[in-house]
Amino acid sequence: MSTQAPNLRLGSAPDSWGVWFPEDDRQLPYEQFLDELQGAGYEWLELGPYGYLPTDPDVLADEVGKRGLKVSGGTVFGNLHRPEKFDETIGIVSKVAKLTASQGAKHVVFIPPLFRDEKTDAINDVTEWDATQWKTVHATANRIGKQMFEEYGVTIALHPHADCQIMTQPQIETFLDGTDADFVSLCLDTGHVAYGGGDNVDLIRRYGERIGYVHIKQMDPEILRQVADEGLGFGEAVKRGVCVEPPAGVPNPADIVTELSKLDAELFVIVEQDLYPCEPDVPFPIAVRTRKYLNGCGLGASRQQS
């Protein structure tokens, strides 16, 4: 067993059980997800798409609490570059922030909408923002972050994502350089950074004070080559198995844990292995193996060590 990183708390998310949408006939019932999350030895969970888990705070607290689980944060998609969508976005983010805060959590992972359709991979938006759009993005993110902190006590953690306009390392840095550190942080998703050709360790070392939350995952380098060569969308890449369990893929989880352990911050590190769609019996054994492997890297030894 490696030396434990006391500032890091390990959890997982519905995404690791093949859940991408509030409702989908290819996804397992939320009760099964929670049961298996507990059985796999995790203590912390991210809420996933709003509406998959119960949205009544009391019902959610009961479902989570009776399994000995705790909520690390919520997740929301929201538009930053179209001013006409601000009211719609703030309404959606407010719902997620309110539910997240009701469970005692203080992080809302914010994902810009993809410029490809998640199911067909068709491109349906601009793939790069111009200077004017970046100015709007910075202002909107700051406004949302400040409002959510003042109203609900949560911090917005921007999640770079494949097939969105904040995917490459230069795009991530441009976002961080133009936003307010008091209200907007980075959700470092190690897999998506790798997908966009970025260097996770470099980001941790240079922007460590901006990292407020972490998704840990690995990508298959061979499928990343296919993405580049064939111009694949993320949905197709996931179907081909671009997200892999450790120790396969890039980046090396042990390197990530080592660098994060040096930061002067307590961080949730949430396993997020994209598996949509998958058979219902696939996620659980992967979740157990992943938890054991990450425990061996010094990340979040949990209550079950079997």
Side-chain angles (χ1 to χ4, degrees):
M1 174 71 71
S2 301
T3 302
Q4 291 297 306
N7 64 320
L8 306 180
R9 299 175 181 175
L10 177 63
S12 193
D15 190 49
S16 299
W17 268 258
V19 175
W20 276 12
F21 305 100
E23 295 181 9
D24 190 291
D25 57 11
R26 306 175 87 173
Q27 298 174 173
L28 45 72
Y30 81 81
E31 295 91 346
Q32 182 180 346
F33 158 66
L34 291 175
D35 288 343
E36 293 189 2
L37 181 74
Q38 176 196 36
Y42 295 90
E43 181 179 5
W44 296 92
L45 78 144
E46 191 176 298
L47 295 177
Y50 184 84
Y52 174 66
L53 291 171
T55 56
D56 180 294
D58 293 333
V59 175
L60 178 60
D62 180 65
E63 291 286 350
V64 169
K66 71 185 181 184
R67 293 173 173 87
L69 300 169
K70 302 174 185 176
V71 175
S72 61
T75 316
V76 66
F77 280 84
N79 192 288
L80 295 174
H81 68 287
R82 293 187 174 178
E84 72 274 13
K85 290 185 174 287
F86 179 80
D87 289 343
E88 175 187 343
T89 297
I90 202 72
I92 295 169
V93 178
S94 293
K95 288 195 302 183
V96 174
K98 184 177 182 180
L99 182 63
T100 300
S102 76
Q103 306 303 303
K106 298 185 180 300
H107 304 278
V108 172
V109 177
F110 186 105
I111 307 173
L114 310 192
F115 55 70
R116 289 183 186 262
D117 184 276
E118 291 174 280
K119 294 187 177 181
T120 69
D121 279 349
I123 295 177
N124 54 25
D125 199 353
V126 297
T127 59
E128 294 272 354
W129 289 327
D130 61 25
T132 299
Q133 288 169 320
W134 269 114
K135 186 176 181 180
T136 299
V137 167
H138 290 146
T140 304
N142 286 336
R143 184 178 173 189
I144 291 173
K146 187 172 188 291
Q147 186 171 334
M148 293 304 100
F149 183 79
E150 290 175 348
E151 292 185 7
Y152 303 108
V154 301
T155 299
I156 297 296
L158 188 285
H159 182 307
H161 201 288
D163 292 345
C164 89
Q165 299 90 343
I166 308 177
M167 175 176 70
T168 68
Q169 186 159 339
Q171 291 168 341
I172 294 168
E173 294 181 7
T174 297
F175 177 82
L176 292 174
D177 290 345
T179 48
D180 189 336
D182 289 339
F183 305 113
V184 181
S185 68
L186 173 68
C187 171
L188 181 77
D189 186 295
T190 62
H192 284 283
V193 169
Y195 193 102
D199 183 333
N200 280 279
V201 169
D202 180 60
L203 278 171
I204 296 169
R205 289 175 177 172
R206 292 196 299 113
Y207 285 89
E209 75 284 353
R210 295 298 303 276
I211 296 172
Y213 199 86
V214 180
H215 284 168
I216 194 163
K217 67 160 73 79
Q218 302 74 234
M219 298 290 184
D220 183 323
E222 172 54 35
I223 297 179
L224 290 182
R225 282 190 286 271
Q226 295 173 21
V227 169
D229 292 345
E230 302 176 39
L232 304 179
F234 186 61
E236 176 61 26
V238 170
K239 291 175 185 175
R240 295 190 186 189
V242 70
C243 290
V244 291
E245 66 179 280
V250 292
N252 177 6
D255 293 342
I256 301 300
V257 173
T258 296
E259 291 301 322
L260 291 175
S261 69
K262 299 174 184 178
L263 299 180
D264 183 22
E266 290 193 359
L267 296 169
F268 289 107
V269 181
I270 305 300
V271 177
E272 226 206 10
Q273 183 179 345
D274 297 291
L275 289 174
Y276 180 89
C278 67
E279 295 301 315
D281 60 344
V282 168
F284 180 73
I286 294 175
V288 173
R289 292 193 298 267
T290 298
R291 191 267 299 164
K292 289 181 177 179
Y293 181 85
L294 293 175
N295 285 168
C297 294
L299 177 54
S302 52
R303 48 195 163 80
Q304 273 187 236
Q305 298 302 312
S306 58

